[in-house]
Amino acid sequence: ITVQEEELVFYRESERISPLITSYHHYERTPTTEELQGVLRRMERFAPTTVKFACYCHSRGDALRLFEFLLF
């Protein structure tokens, strides 16, 4: 979502009918719930068919935060 926002704008403006998958990757840590929610809001602007989050968990608490995020 961060490095390809220009392509997402092009996709949205071209009114394609193919499905859109947006993804966010953070391979060093698990962001806070607020950060994850902010990224999701940015993704939702493009009306994706699927969203994906991939984060590095350092603890069980990190993993639990991602599971709780699913409830958002």
Side-chain angles (χ1 to χ4, degrees):
I1 186 75
T2 303
V3 296
Q4 292 184 310
E5 191 160 359
E6 184 178 325
E7 288 89 347
L8 290 169
V9 170
F10 173 79
Y11 179 91
R12 182 181 59 200
E13 291 174 353
S14 65
E15 299 182 20
R16 298 177 188 270
I17 58 170
S18 59
L20 174 65
I21 300 171
T22 56
S23 64
Y24 172 80
H25 304 260
H26 201 304
Y27 297 122
E28 296 176 5
R29 67 180 180 90
T30 301
T32 66
T33 301
E34 293 77 22
E35 289 174 294
L36 293 169
Q37 290 171 344
V39 171
L40 180 60
R41 282 191 292 274
R42 287 178 60 202
M43 289 177 169
E44 289 174 335
R45 293 189 338 224
F46 301 99
T49 306
T50 304
V51 298
K52 180 183 106 174
F53 286 79
C55 304
Y56 186 86
C57 294
H58 288 275
S59 67
R60 290 180 180 169
D62 288 346
L64 181 60
R65 184 165 53 252
L66 290 174
F67 280 123
E68 289 175 340
F69 179 60
L70 288 172
L71 301 175
F72 173 68

